[in-house]
Amino acid sequence: MSTNSAAYMELTELYAKAQRVKLVLTDSDGVLTDNGVYYSAQGEEMKRFSIRDGMGVERLRNAGIATGIVTGEMSPSVAKRAEKLRITELHLGVKDKAARLHDILQRLQLQADEVAFIGDDTNDVEIMGLVGLAACPADATEFARQLAHYHCTTPGGHGCFRELAELIIASQGAAANNRQPVFPEQQLLHTSH
């Protein structure tokens, strides 16, 4: 098989995984942020988020695909960002992301292959190994890169979530434009700590 044929086969498999996605989950630090945080004497003050990633959340929502954040941090900045973006699933302070995924799957009646997750470090690898489509930012650790089906060309905090969103939307094609929201009953932010 030629290199081009192998690359096409990999792209075909990637698109097949992306076509099944109904929920996109993300880590926060290192994915939605550039891994930096500003501290004062009072503690965490600010994190930088990409506006492009926010548009990715909106575009997924418009395509009927739900989004969520699963992070080990208890960050007021992340909570504010999730509220602004109307993210339907917010899970802060999660130390066992695989167990939280299991809870989310049961509650939303989804299969693991209907979920995408983008993470960047060792605390993401277990959940990355369980979902149908795992992705990582361009500057992810080797631990995350080894498990990711898709390596974004964009680093964390600079639009990598948007890059994954566009891949999923493109793979689902015209059908995504006419799809009703997967979880229309969810009007309020679901949070758990």
Side-chain angles (χ1 to χ4, degrees):
M1 180 180 286
S2 74
T3 304
N4 287 345
S5 296
Y8 176 76
M9 187 64 109
E10 288 176 18
L11 187 59
T12 302
E13 290 173 18
L14 179 65
Y15 266 57
K17 288 177 177 299
Q19 285 172 347
R20 292 190 290 273
V21 172
K22 295 180 180 177
L23 172 65
V24 180
L25 298 174
T26 181
D27 182 32
S28 180
D29 293 336
V31 177
L32 298 179
T33 76
D34 60 6
N35 256 332
V37 64
Y38 297 93
Y39 274 92
S40 72
Q42 289 74 38
E44 178 187 305
E45 290 292 323
M46 292 186 295
K47 293 184 181 200
R48 179 194 170 283
F49 295 91
S50 169
I51 298 300
R52 287 192 179 133
D53 287 336
M55 181 57 74
V57 170
E58 184 175 334
R59 286 185 42 77
L60 285 167
R61 182 172 43 251
N62 291 342
I65 300 167
T67 57
I69 298 171
V70 181
T71 180
E73 298 296 316
M74 290 296 295
S75 172
S77 300
V78 174
K80 280 290 190 193
R81 185 68 175 146
E83 181 181 355
K84 166 107 172 112
L85 297 177
R86 299 182 311 159
I87 289 179
T88 57
E89 295 285 327
L90 175 60
H91 303 273
L92 302 173
V94 177
K95 299 306 176 196
D96 187 346
K97 292 182 181 183
R100 185 56 51 92
L101 173 66
H102 178 73
D103 295 343
I104 292 168
L105 293 176
Q106 281 194 319
R107 184 169 41 79
L108 299 180
Q109 298 180 341
L110 289 175
Q111 299 300 311
D113 70 350
E114 296 174 314
V115 177
F117 183 86
I118 181 168
D120 73 308
D121 213 332
T122 55
N123 58 335
D124 299 316
V125 295
E126 191 173 5
I127 191 172
M128 289 174 73
L130 298 174
V131 297
L133 175 59
C136 68
D139 58 345
T141 65
E142 188 58 31
F143 302 103
R145 294 179 68 76
Q146 287 177 5
L147 286 173
H149 302 112
Y150 181 69
H151 296 181
C152 294
T153 60
T154 315
H158 294 277
C160 63
F161 182 89
R162 171 73 178 271
E163 185 179 333
L164 175 61
E166 294 301 337
L167 169 78
I168 292 167
I169 291 165
S171 75
Q172 296 188 9
N177 295 329
N178 299 319
R179 184 184 308 136
Q180 293 299 311
V182 177
F183 312 113
E185 72 282 356
Q186 289 188 343
Q187 300 294 322
L188 301 175
L189 182 69
H190 175 82
T191 61
S192 62
H193 305 246

